């Protein structure tokens, strides 16, 4: 038996459902709202499911008709959900692109990149120059025995620089090295000629600091020991180093001097960066600036290092890299190199 009333009613409700659902879906404004609509119109507890409950009371013929009508309504609703969904997704994407607009042509946030301190750059460059000339690098301790810093270097017991006044003693026989020259002895005790070595590092003196003096400053010691090493080798070597660092137009001058551990001894001057040797205010009218000391290794020092002075000779030098930095950077007060003021240091980047 069939229930015509129920059938007609079901068909009418399906039609209402279709119209209502499609209107609701096309009026939905967000993906979340659309999802609610999907559950409401096609889910297990939907009106569609409720309408289909009459199925059991219908004739096979009507069931088929109602089934087909229901499928068509369901298809239409799914179609509407699908196309509204696509619209909303496109719109939401557009909104997001607008909101999160990124101008890839804007300059980025720069990273603060550090750079080497000008004094360290000088150290590395000078070490490199010596390495290229066949020297190896030896590092001695900054806290040194009085024995190495003075005694084995032939300093007389009453030499003024051994005074507590100029020197930082740690104990009676240990001190902050006042020079890199103790490295000479350490090298000679470890290496046999031919020796070509440098000792770069910090040295300490109780100085009254001024525009050209620091109490902690860099030195690079050099030592060459071999058969037939001459003063000419020393002069040629230092001239080459200075010219590789400053350029070929820089002249080097050797001035007689005295050190207990070299004989003969000299002080090394470089022609003034400002006037080129004519004499000006930067060099006190001299035309020359002092870079360090040098000389032929004293026979007693060779002996103290276990090297036979009758068979070998050697030269040694001690240069002041901070002075190199000053002269290259036209820095008139060396203390600026230790103050860590970035406004000053950045100029040498
Ligand atoms: N050690 C000396 C100084 O500090 C420099 C020097 C080194 C002189 C080697 C001669 C040879 O003044």
């Amino acid at each position: 038996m069939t229930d015509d009333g129920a059938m007609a009613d079901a068909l009418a409700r399906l039609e209402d459902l279709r119209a209502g659902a499609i209107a609701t879906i096309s009026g939905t404004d967000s993906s979340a709202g659309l999802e609610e609509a999907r559950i409401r119109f096609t889910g297990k507890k939907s009106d569609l499911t409720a309408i289909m409950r009459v199925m059991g009371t219908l004739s096979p013929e009507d069931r088929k008709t109602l089934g087909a009508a229901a499928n068509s309504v369901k298809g239409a609703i799914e179609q509407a959900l699908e196309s509204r969904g696509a619209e909303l997704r496109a719109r939401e994407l557009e909104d997001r692109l607008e909101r999160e607009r990124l101008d890839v042509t804007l300059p980025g946030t720069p990273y603060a990149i550090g750079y080497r301190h000008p004094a360290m750059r000088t150290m590395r460059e000078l070490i490199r120059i010596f390495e290229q000339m066949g020297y190896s690098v030896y590092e001695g301790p900054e806290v040194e025995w009085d024995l190495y810093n003075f005694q084995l270097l032939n300093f007389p017991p009453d030499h003024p620089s051994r005074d507590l006044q100029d020197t930082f003693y740690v104990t009676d026989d240990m001190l902050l090295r006042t020079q890199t020259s103790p490295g000479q002895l350490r090298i000679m005790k470890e290496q046999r000629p031919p020796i070509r070595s440098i000792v770069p590092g910090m040295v300490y003196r109780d100085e009254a600091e001024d525009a050209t003096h620091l109490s902690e400053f860099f030195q690079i010691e050099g030592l060459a020991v071999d058969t037939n090493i001459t003063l000419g080798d020393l002069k040629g070597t230092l001239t080459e180093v200075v010219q590789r660092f400053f350029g070929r137009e820089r002249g080097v001058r050797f001035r007689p001097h005295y050190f207990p551990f070299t004989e003969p001894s000299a002080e090394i001057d470089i022609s003034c960066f400002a006037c080129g040797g004519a004499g000006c205010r930067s060099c006190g009218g001299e035309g020359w600036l002092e870079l360090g000391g040098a000389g032929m290794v004293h026979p007693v020092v060779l002996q103290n290092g276990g090297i036979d002075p009758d068979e070998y000779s050697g030269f040694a030098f001690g240069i002041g890299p901070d002075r190199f930095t000053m002269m290259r950077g036209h820095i008139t007060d060396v203390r600026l190199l230790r103050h860590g003021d970035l406004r000053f240091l950045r100029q040498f980047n």
Side-chain angles (χ1 to χ4, degrees), residues 237-279:
T237 300
L238 285 174
T239 305
E240 181 64 20
V241 169
V242 164
Q243 292 188 346
R244 283 197 195 185
F245 188 86
F246 287 109
R248 291 292 161 194
E249 67 286 356
R250 276 281 92 80
V252 177
R253 179 175 82 167
F254 285 70
R255 225 168 356 98
H257 197 71
Y258 171 77
F259 297 104
F261 44 94
T262 47
E263 179 61 34
S265 302
E267 282 200 317
I268 317 145
D269 294 339
I270 177 183
S271 55
C272 174
F273 62 81
C275 64

XYZ file of all heavy atoms in Angstrom, residues 237-279:
342
model
N 116.581 41.938 5.471
C 115.349 41.298 5.935
C 114.349 42.341 6.441
O 113.180 42.351 6.057
C 115.670 40.294 7.071
O 116.559 39.298 6.567
C 114.400 39.636 7.586
N 114.835 43.240 7.308
C 113.909 44.224 7.887
C 113.414 45.223 6.849
O 112.256 45.646 6.888
C 114.566 44.934 9.070
C 114.639 44.047 10.319
C 115.432 44.734 11.424
C 113.245 43.685 10.817
N 114.294 45.589 5.921
C 113.860 46.493 4.848
C 112.749 45.830 4.033
O 111.733 46.449 3.711
C 115.047 46.856 3.940
O 116.092 47.401 4.751
C 114.642 47.874 2.885
N 112.927 44.550 3.739
C 111.927 43.820 2.953
C 110.589 43.754 3.697
O 109.525 43.983 3.117
C 112.454 42.410 2.650
C 111.521 41.541 1.825
C 111.265 42.080 0.413
O 112.080 42.891 -0.074
O 110.240 41.695 -0.179
N 110.653 43.460 5.009
C 109.418 43.359 5.800
C 108.678 44.698 5.804
O 107.469 44.770 5.564
C 109.733 42.919 7.248
C 108.501 43.063 8.140
C 110.246 41.485 7.264
N 109.439 45.768 6.071
C 108.830 47.098 6.136
C 108.222 47.478 4.783
O 107.111 48.002 4.704
C 109.881 48.148 6.577
C 109.396 49.558 6.283
C 110.185 47.985 8.061
N 108.914 47.162 3.714
C 108.404 47.541 2.395
C 107.224 46.674 1.966
O 106.320 47.143 1.284
C 109.520 47.511 1.355
C 110.541 48.631 1.621
C 111.567 48.777 0.513
O 111.703 47.898 -0.338
N 112.291 49.885 0.533
N 107.233 45.395 2.371
C 106.059 44.578 2.051
C 104.833 45.097 2.796
O 103.713 45.004 2.316
C 106.293 43.114 2.436
C 107.175 42.381 1.453
C 107.063 40.886 1.617
N 108.164 40.219 0.910
C 108.271 38.911 0.789
N 107.375 38.109 1.327
N 109.300 38.383 0.148
N 105.065 45.633 3.995
C 103.933 46.106 4.795
C 103.473 47.493 4.355
O 102.283 47.742 4.190
C 104.319 46.132 6.274
C 103.162 46.433 7.199
C 102.327 45.417 7.654
C 102.909 47.735 7.610
C 101.261 45.689 8.495
C 101.836 48.015 8.462
C 101.019 46.989 8.904
N 104.427 48.406 4.178
C 104.066 49.812 3.930
C 104.117 50.206 2.465
O 103.594 51.250 2.085
C 105.016 50.749 4.687
C 104.787 50.777 6.172
C 105.694 50.205 7.042
C 103.658 51.390 6.702
C 105.489 50.247 8.415
C 103.440 51.435 8.073
C 104.363 50.859 8.931
N 104.814 49.421 1.645
C 104.988 49.814 0.252
C 106.453 50.095 -0.043
O 107.232 50.404 0.866
N 106.793 49.987 -1.305
C 108.206 50.056 -1.709
C 108.849 51.429 -1.508
O 110.064 51.559 -1.494
C 108.351 49.632 -3.181
C 108.092 48.159 -3.424
C 109.179 47.293 -2.803
N 108.712 45.914 -2.644
C 109.335 44.996 -1.898
N 110.430 45.299 -1.232
N 108.848 43.783 -1.801
N 108.020 52.477 -1.376
C 108.594 53.815 -1.271
C 109.110 54.109 0.141
O 109.780 55.104 0.380
C 107.568 54.879 -1.712
C 106.339 55.045 -0.815
C 105.314 53.911 -0.948
O 105.499 53.010 -1.790
O 104.316 53.931 -0.193
N 108.811 53.221 1.118
C 109.238 53.453 2.508
C 110.707 53.094 2.700
O 111.138 52.018 2.307
C 108.431 52.579 3.469
C 107.079 53.146 3.897
C 107.215 54.190 4.965
N 107.326 55.531 4.416
C 106.301 56.238 4.000
N 105.091 55.763 4.048
N 106.488 57.446 3.520
N 111.458 54.009 3.296
C 112.860 53.735 3.561
C 113.080 53.289 4.998
O 112.304 53.628 5.885
N 114.142 52.508 5.227
C 114.477 52.054 6.573
C 115.877 52.552 6.920
O 116.766 52.566 6.080
C 114.438 50.508 6.647
C 114.855 50.034 8.030
C 113.050 50.006 6.328
N 116.041 52.970 8.184
C 117.338 53.486 8.612
C 117.788 52.723 9.858
O 116.974 52.398 10.714
C 117.175 54.977 8.952
C 118.433 55.645 9.445
C 118.180 57.125 9.623
N 117.519 57.406 10.904
C 117.404 58.638 11.415
N 117.867 59.691 10.761
N 116.806 58.829 12.571
N 119.072 52.432 9.931
C 119.630 51.777 11.119
C 120.505 52.769 11.856
O 121.378 53.384 11.256
C 120.440 50.536 10.709
C 119.568 49.393 10.319
C 118.819 49.426 9.152
C 119.478 48.273 11.131
C 117.987 48.373 8.799
C 118.659 47.218 10.783
C 117.904 47.262 9.624
N 120.250 52.907 13.145
C 120.968 53.857 13.966
C 121.719 53.079 15.037
O 121.109 52.222 15.692
C 119.944 54.757 14.647
C 120.264 56.212 14.637
C 119.075 57.090 15.077
N 117.808 56.439 15.354
C 117.370 56.104 16.568
N 118.117 56.314 17.635
N 116.181 55.541 16.722
N 123.009 53.323 15.249
C 123.748 52.586 16.279
C 123.063 52.727 17.641
O 122.543 53.797 17.973
C 125.120 53.262 16.296
C 125.250 53.929 14.981
C 123.860 54.312 14.559
N 123.057 51.648 18.393
C 122.387 51.661 19.679
C 123.066 50.632 20.569
O 124.055 50.006 20.169
C 120.903 51.323 19.492
C 120.062 51.700 20.666
N 119.780 53.006 20.990
C 119.426 50.948 21.597
C 118.999 53.039 22.058
N 118.777 51.787 22.456
N 122.542 50.461 21.785
C 123.113 49.442 22.653
C 122.029 48.530 23.208
O 121.001 49.002 23.719
C 123.858 50.088 23.836
C 124.253 49.055 24.852
C 125.354 48.220 24.627
C 123.509 48.870 26.016
C 125.695 47.236 25.542
C 123.843 47.889 26.934
C 124.935 47.076 26.694
O 125.256 46.093 27.580
N 122.205 47.224 23.060
C 121.435 46.227 23.800
C 122.444 45.234 24.355
O 123.435 44.922 23.674
C 120.443 45.486 22.891
C 119.382 46.383 22.293
C 119.458 46.771 20.968
C 118.305 46.827 23.053
C 118.487 47.593 20.403
C 117.334 47.652 22.504
C 117.419 48.038 21.176
N 122.219 44.710 25.573
C 123.194 43.778 26.157
C 123.324 42.480 25.362
O 124.339 41.808 25.428
C 122.625 43.495 27.557
C 121.580 44.523 27.810
C 121.104 45.000 26.480
N 122.273 42.129 24.605
C 122.231 40.797 23.969
C 122.516 40.818 22.481
O 122.407 39.792 21.811
C 120.875 40.133 24.252
C 119.699 41.082 24.084
C 119.008 41.150 22.885
C 119.307 41.900 25.138
C 117.945 42.017 22.741
C 118.236 42.779 24.997
C 117.557 42.842 23.797
N 122.853 42.004 21.948
C 123.278 42.059 20.543
C 124.544 42.904 20.453
O 124.760 43.827 21.241
C 122.178 42.674 19.639
O 121.679 43.856 20.246
C 121.047 41.706 19.388
N 125.374 42.575 19.467
C 126.605 43.328 19.265
C 127.092 43.139 17.832
O 127.397 42.020 17.454
C 127.673 42.864 20.261
C 129.010 43.573 20.123
C 128.916 45.085 20.342
O 128.087 45.511 21.175
O 129.636 45.815 19.660
N 127.104 44.141 16.969
C 126.612 45.491 17.247
C 125.086 45.534 17.322
O 124.412 44.611 16.905
C 127.114 46.282 16.029
C 127.179 45.280 14.925
C 127.575 43.978 15.578
N 124.596 46.652 17.851
C 123.148 46.838 17.992
C 122.704 48.075 17.232
O 123.508 48.979 16.993
C 122.783 47.021 19.473
O 123.208 45.927 20.248
N 121.430 48.090 16.882
C 120.904 49.241 16.149
C 119.454 49.465 16.517
O 118.774 48.545 16.991
C 121.024 49.003 14.643
N 119.020 50.684 16.319
C 117.584 50.942 16.346
C 117.136 51.133 14.911
O 117.867 51.669 14.080
C 117.239 52.151 17.219
C 117.268 51.757 18.699
C 116.506 52.698 19.609
O 116.624 53.917 19.438
O 115.805 52.193 20.508
N 115.925 50.630 14.617
C 115.413 50.660 13.256
C 114.409 51.791 13.155
O 113.474 51.867 13.944
C 114.665 49.358 12.915
C 115.438 48.138 13.426
C 114.400 49.253 11.435
C 114.507 47.048 13.894
N 114.610 52.657 12.186
C 113.669 53.750 11.959
C 113.051 53.583 10.575
O 113.671 53.030 9.661
C 114.397 55.103 11.992
C 114.952 55.430 13.381
O 114.452 54.845 14.365
O 115.883 56.256 13.464
N 111.839 54.092 10.450
C 111.171 54.094 9.150
C 110.927 55.550 8.766
O 110.656 56.389 9.639
C 109.848 53.304 9.201
C 109.110 53.376 7.874
C 108.971 53.790 10.333
C 107.775 52.669 7.907
N 110.981 55.837 7.475
C 110.745 57.225 7.071
C 109.303 57.607 7.397
O 108.384 56.818 7.294
C 111.047 57.418 5.581
O 110.317 56.513 4.792
N 109.119 58.846 7.814
C 107.832 59.322 8.348
C 106.698 59.187 7.328
O 106.860 59.546 6.167
C 107.978 60.775 8.791
S 106.433 61.537 9.308
N 105.540 58.686 7.808
C 104.391 58.496 6.913
C 103.841 59.822 6.415
O 103.255 59.902 5.360
C 103.283 57.696 7.608
C 102.717 58.369 8.838
C 101.754 59.363 8.730
C 103.142 57.979 10.111
C 101.235 59.973 9.865
C 102.615 58.594 11.240
C 101.660 59.592 11.121
N 104.051 60.865 7.213
C 103.442 62.150 6.853
C 104.302 62.943 5.870
O 103.796 63.501 4.905
C 103.179 62.969 8.103
N 105.606 62.994 6.118
C 106.446 63.855 5.274
C 107.410 63.057 4.392
O 108.097 63.636 3.561
C 107.232 64.833 6.147
S 108.401 63.994 7.253
N 107.487 61.747 4.609
C 108.356 60.924 3.779
C 109.834 61.130 4.057
O 110.679 60.694 3.269
N 110.188 61.769 5.146
C 111.602 61.888 5.514
C 112.102 63.317 5.590
O 113.199 63.573 6.070
N 111.282 64.264 5.114
C 111.730 65.661 5.086
C 111.734 66.290 6.488
O 112.514 67.206 6.749
C 110.824 66.479 4.163
N 110.902 65.787 7.362
C 110.784 66.368 8.700
C 109.493 67.157 8.819
O 109.250 68.063 8.025
